[in-house]
Amino acid sequence: MGGLVIKQAYVLARQDPTCADLANRIKAMMFLATPHRGSDLASTLNSMLRVSTSHSTRPYISNLERTSDVLAILNNTFRHYTSDLTLVSFYETQPTSLGPRSVMIVQKDSAQVGCAGERVAPLNANHRGICKFETPAESNYISVRDVLQDINEKCLEYVQSRTEDQLHKDILRIEQYLGEPGKPEDDLRDLEEARIEGSCEWFAERAAFQKWVDLETLPSSQLYWVSAKPATGKSVLSAYVINTLNSLNLDCTYYFFRYGTKERSTASGLLLSLAFQMALFNVSVRGKLLSMIDRGIRFDKNDAKAVWRKVFLPTVFKAEWHRTQYWVIDALDECSDFGAVFPMLASIEPSIQIRVLFTSRRTGEIETHFAALSAPWVGEGVFFEEMNFEDTKSDMILYLEANRERLHVGDTEQRQVMTRRILEKSEGCFLWIRLVLEELAMEWSLQHAHQILEDVPQEMDPLYRRALQIMTSKPRHAQELARAILTWVICAIRPLTVPELRTALEADTGQTVEKLDMAIASLCAQLVYVDKSDRVLMVHLTARSFLVDRELESTFAVDEKPGHLRLAQSCLRCLCSQEMKPLRGRRARKQLGQPQVGLFTSYASLAFAEHIRQTTSKDLSLAKALNTFLESNVFSWIECIASTTNLSVLTQTSNSLKHHLQRRLKHTSPLDSAIQFAESWVVDLQRMPTKFGDTLITSPSAIHSLIPPFCPASSAIRLGSMSSSKGLKIHGLRDDGWDDRLACINKGDNQIVSVACGESIFAIGLQRGQILLYHNTTCQEWKSLDHQSVLRYMHFDSGGSMLASSGRRNIRVWNVENGLMLWNFDIGQEILALAFCDSDKALIAVTKANSVMSWYLQTGQERDHRRWDDAVDFGDEGQFRRPPVTAAFCPDESLLAIVYRGRPICLWDMEDRSLHGFVGREKDPGSLALGTNTSPASVIFNANQELTLLAAAYEDGDLCLFDYDELRLIESIEANAQILACSGDGLTLASGNSAGMVQLLSFETLQLLYRINTSDYSIRCIAFSADNLRFLDVRGTQCNVWEPAVLSGLVENKDSSTEGEPLKPKIIGMSDGELEIVTIELDNTGDYFFVGKSDGSVCVYAMKDGLKRRILYRHTYGIPVTSMLWGHSEMVIATADAASRFIVYRLKADNSTGWVALEKLMDHRIESAIQEVLLSPTNERLMVCTTQYISVWVVGAKTESTRQERVTREPFRWLNHPIKPDYYIVVTAKSISIIQWDSLAPTKTIDIPFYNERSAISQRVVKNTILFCQGDTFAVDFSEPHGERSTTAISILAIDTLDGNTAVLDHATRFEGISREVLHLIGGFDSKLVFLSRRLWVCSIDLKQRDAQTMYTRHFPLPSDWRAQQENYCTKVTKRGDILYTKREEVAVIQNGLESKESVCIA
């Protein structure tokens, strides 16, 4: 019996998506005499129990009979899930004694599952002893043990292969997520090869270094700084330290700064590389970073503070470390923003075991930073070591000895003299020695060699000037090529490889250099070299600094702005080349897969905008080249970027172009068409990742023809796309440009009461206590938490890793990453406000009992409990005191603003525990008596601690601004504001009111910046995103996400009021008066469709443009039309509304409007709520289903002919039988029935077995039924009854199946695989079932194809902000294959969408 239970549990786990992880872990099953096909003794046992006086029959015993339907269904279902299982079945060979006789309990045939690949073996035992073993030497034990051992070995092999494969995939995901920082192994390898054996060992003998390395003793400082003059071997020393740490098996990560290389000269590049390296060897760090990826956390990879704040503080430093981490950071002085590193070091907690070694030149600025560095983990200052000539002299001798063979002249003694002379003149500079040796290597005369030694200057600058003289002596064409090489090497944003540079030079100069690696040393006189990784580099930072010096008078001097102009133009020429031309046939591109581009094209794609940003804005040729690119190959460039999955390049390119265009406006009119065209692309590139990010990653080629139709008509991407008469077209939607509302999250019947924003996610709180977490970037739900009581407030910590949620009298603190509750504080008093404090180490809350409480978040213990009622005494209340109604903390939690009804705002100093003062809109707020009308509804401090500003929204709508330091009123305006929020930078104040209006104002002046004016639900809460570029508002059951341009600064605000002018706020994103479309129905011509609206109107729309032609008739005004049916036999339309009224009209065709109402056939209101209606095939009868009964009405007679009480309230869907007009089909979650129209009696019922009553998944309900394939097939769409309305399962049945002898739905008709992909079924088109996928693509499965259960076709995507416009999707597919998609008061008619096809395997 136990084996059967396990089989059923496994089947349920495979069918339930929530148990997919559990099911996938099951790899083998072993059965010991399990009665898969029942036992002959089951009926005998039940007969014995039936005649017994003390026992009764057992239903489960009947299920074990040979003829049991339950066993048949279970076996039939189980076999479809065994393809990836190892099955072993043992059967008994001895009879079991049952009183006077012995019988076989489970026969051999019943003990077998009967699946392909199953191993069947006997055991020498009866049924009772088949799982009992006397000794390990028993043959039965050995047989079972060997099978288990074999299964275990296979599982281990599988896990090991999966682990290695998964590790590779995880590392690749992290590398791409962090911007492919890589591990600087190439630099380390080059430096290892440059180090001579035995050199640098003097450093390991230093006592300070030994203390810094030694784990047994805590050094007096965790920081080690080694300084030296330029080119004296600091990087080689760093490589030696790294190898020493690795040889000691210590965890070492490292980084080599390289000035002039954008990717290698920033603090952000350092941090990203360190994080990636730590993920390579630390499982916990790797898991934390993967969690960041899964949560969709995005950050600016060029912003070191953002990387530190989002990657290190809440992630890397929160990982489990069992060993001290060593960081070796070379050439800190070559970091362009090294000053940003020191505040980060100072913020490291003492508990984090990190030891850091820096090398750099000794500059005053760096020395000041190290001297000022004060942090507990650092210790007593910094270990400081300055390398001098005496330290490195022995290393230089080793280097000269190792390179003595490069001197071709003189005998051994003469060479020794020369090396001693080189050592004397070098003054400790390795680079000087290297350059001199390279020059001497080309001399074959002893006299010339000595002359070189005397002529070569000891300083580096004169040495570089001498190199320039050598270059000047070369032919003119060689000089031009040398200048080009120097310009590319100095101005490139990253080191170019030799093949990349060769292609770049061809595009730049037209010259092809076959053996470029050999030519570089000759052309550039050793100022440039090729390293072991084939990268072309400057010989040293000092050489680069020498060449870019503005005072250098030489034809080889490099002016960086013209240099970047030269590179930008070359990159744009490359991107405009034939290689990047878009393919005209998209099928050809799909056959090729991802676009293949050359090495330099890849560089140009990533770097061209950065070169444009760093060059002059005056050059007209650059503007022309940029416009040529934007007019030609920009779509192929976007496809190329999307194929890398790093969409942040689009945003970075937009920012770089925006910076360039802003500077260019100084020299060009803003009305210039080229400027406006480029600015339009700046906006579009910002929108692409937000609107279509998932689409671009899923299908990069969608940018050419599938994405542009969904963009505004005035957008650059829409205007520049390759449009064709057969391409995707969309009609019926207003086109007002890019919408400021990015998303609308609608929770149906669940009221949303609060919202909070973290670094990477935001949270919305439902009234019932559920907390839903969403990704900031995609606005898609990530996970949910349950506060288990009515929610009031929510607040994230600064890193976004913790969330505090407050009910009326309790607070819960959550770990956002794993969803676990950290602490639960039951207070017993009503909570008015809460916040994290003390660097997120504590939580603080205000209660209605005139008190402030706080708790330690590490221990959960109470930290403090303060009362302010003694300090705040109004003097006229006596023993009775009104409780506070709201409160707010200032940014540093040192001051608390308290609001009492009828009182001024009280400011309490929490540090001194004393009254700071009163503020109010009256002249003397401190003297106001009880009952004065001066009650604010909301108060908020400015988030910028330097601005001592407090805003208050009063109950009558006044908005006041106070200086809480000076206790004075600054400004008061009539703003109709009741809810307030402040942006994190303190610049913007947001207000909302009971009418649904939201305003953005300047916090310092209260000047209006932006307004959303709607007649909608009351605003309950507003929150700004962490980057201050978005804000979220909560109204009713909706949470709207807005990204107005005024916050990003992309456009100049034109909606703010000026003194003396009336406010004219712009209405953004919301409905402007038209009412929502509730239901859609197609007519039989295919040229028109009908819609029912929430105001009760029934309208006809044209298919060709998606616009309304006329109102046919109305239900009662304001009562939504809930159901609609079209009867083409008699040209009738039947509608029902939410007030239990149904109407039937006969229509007449009309040339101008499609249809007009001809005659009202029925208009009746019944006493029970209508759930569904159905017209008979002849349109003579109308069936109405209510919550209590089902009735049939004769349309012509307007009378009820039949009524039947509903036995069950189980949800169902029905449709007419396509073959038998006297019957209709009813589908529930458990069965499919054929019922007569006349008697309402079922003639046949087919069970759906996997929705059995004992299963948790039996709670699914029927969402929709769709007839297609010319009426031969219908699909059933199942969903959860109380959760999201998305699809959870699909069944597809041939109509003739219903007319056969089938009593149980066969597994083959249930498409479990495709069900996991489906969000909503749209309809049927020919043999295709069209659906909306969970990635928001319109897709289909074609039942004529043999691979219909393993493949589906992807057609076109929908914008991400279309997902949450409504709770229930209202869609149709027409006979022409057009898709109708309802968006509030509009219907999008999407034409030719199914023509685009891409086959996809079902996961």
Side-chain angles (χ1 to χ4, degrees), residues 620 661 663-677 679:
L620 295 179
L661 293 173
R663 289 188 290 116
R664 193 159 169 236
L665 287 176
K666 299 177 183 178
H667 317 289
T668 311
S669 168
L671 300 179
D672 181 79
S673 59
I675 288 285
Q676 293 181 341
F677 179 58
E679 286 179 338

Side-chain angles (χ1 to χ4, degrees), residues 262 493 564 606-615 652 656:
K262 182 182 177 183
I493 65 171
H564 281 291
L606 299 175
F608 82 94
E610 180 62 23
H611 288 306
I612 291 176
R613 189 183 72 84
Q614 295 195 41
T615 192
Q652 294 166 9
S656 295

Side-chain angles (χ1 to χ4, degrees), residues 663-730:
R663 289 188 290 116
R664 193 159 169 236
L665 287 176
K666 299 177 183 178
H667 317 289
T668 311
S669 168
L671 300 179
D672 181 79
S673 59
I675 288 285
Q676 293 181 341
F677 179 58
E679 286 179 338
S680 181
W681 269 109
V682 166
V683 175
D684 287 8
L685 291 177
Q686 286 281 355
R687 288 286 183 165
M688 285 300 101
T690 303
K691 290 276 189 180
F692 305 102
D694 186 68
T695 297
L696 286 170
I697 291 174
T698 302
S699 178
S701 62
I703 188 62
H704 292 275
S705 58
L706 300 183
I707 290 177
F710 292 96
C711 300
S714 60
S715 65
I717 192 170
R718 177 79 170 271
L719 295 172
S721 64
M722 296 185 300
S723 60
S724 66
S725 58
K726 296 183 180 180
L728 184 69
K729 298 182 183 300
I730 303 170

Side-chain angles (χ1 to χ4, degrees), residues 114-125:
C115 294
E118 177 187 10
R119 294 167 56 184
V120 181
L123 289 179
N124 187 27

Side-chain angles (χ1 to χ4, degrees), residues 1319-1320 1332 1336 1362-1364 1366-1371 1381:
L1319 178 68
H1320 171 75
L1332 186 64
L1336 226 61
W1362 283 30
R1363 177 184 294 270
Q1366 301 186 51
E1367 180 187 15
N1368 296 320
Y1369 292 95
C1370 186
T1371 58
Y1381 189 96

Side-chain angles (χ1 to χ4, degrees), residues 895 906-909 914-918 963-967:
L895 204 64
C906 306
L907 299 174
W908 186 54
D909 191 322
S914 61
L915 179 66
H916 179 71
F918 298 99
D963 185 320
Y964 60 80
D965 195 19
E966 299 180 2
L967 302 177

Side-chain angles (χ1 to χ4, degrees), residues 98 280 422 474 741 881 1015 1088 1280:
L98 298 176
L280 293 176
I422 293 172
K474 297 184 180 297
R741 184 171 65 168
R881 166 157 292 184
S1015 298
Y1088 299 92
E1280 300 290 342

